[in-house]
Amino acid sequence: MAKSNQALDCPCGTGKKFEQCCGVYLSGQELAPNALALMRSRYTAYVMEDQAYLQKTWHASTRPAVQLDQQESCKWLGLTIVAQQQDAQHGTVEFIAKYKVNGRAQRLHEKSNFVLEDGAWLYVDGVFPDQ
Ligand SMILES: [Zn+2]
């Protein structure tokens, strides 16, 4: 079950309230209008453990067959967008997401690829510039 935090500031860091930001996409009211908005909403879905949204926004060719097994003790701390590019049907977003596992701070630096398919932006895959 997804956690409900309607009155909170959106976890993705825009400074907007959740219900006026990624909440619109997580609830299915609207589709994310671009790759960056989708990326932000997927980060928020990780924070709120909204597995259904993560599955829905993952391209069929790369989507994991089983639900992501998110670690109980994983706490997401914030999202920083490093760079983004987009044309009519493809987008990339480079970001740094900070989180803690078992009390230890970690950092995910990823450049994600997105594609527009049937009017919806989808996450395809990512590369890790630090590795
Ligand atoms: Zn948001």
Side-chain angles (χ1 to χ4, degrees), residues 91-116:
T92 58
V93 181
E94 183 177 350
F95 65 92
I96 294 169
K98 292 191 181 138
Y99 61 100
K100 262 187 178 180
V101 178
N102 299 325
R104 293 191 53 172
Q106 312 273 340
R107 178 175 181 274
L108 171 68
H109 184 185
E110 181 175 334
K111 194 171 177 182
S112 299
N113 296 307
F114 299 90
V115 66
L116 183 67

Side-chain angles (χ1 to χ4, degrees), residues 10-14 18 21-23 40-41 44:
C10 194
C12 80
T14 49
F18 170 71
C21 188
C22 300
R40 286 184 173 282
S41 69
T44 298

Side-chain angles (χ1 to χ4, degrees), residues 58-70:
W58 209 310
H59 195 268
S61 67
T62 52
R63 186 193 301 143
V66 289
Q67 291 218 329
L68 303 173
D69 196 15
Q70 202 169 84

Side-chain angles (χ1 to χ4, degrees), residues 32-42 84-87 90-93 112-115 121-122:
N34 53 53
L36 181 61
L38 184 77
M39 193 273 131
R40 286 184 173 282
S41 69
R42 283 178 49 86
Q84 57 146 332
Q85 268 188 309
Q86 189 181 313
D87 63 23
H90 302 89
T92 58
V93 181
S112 299
N113 296 307
F114 299 90
V115 66
W121 283 96
L122 299 169

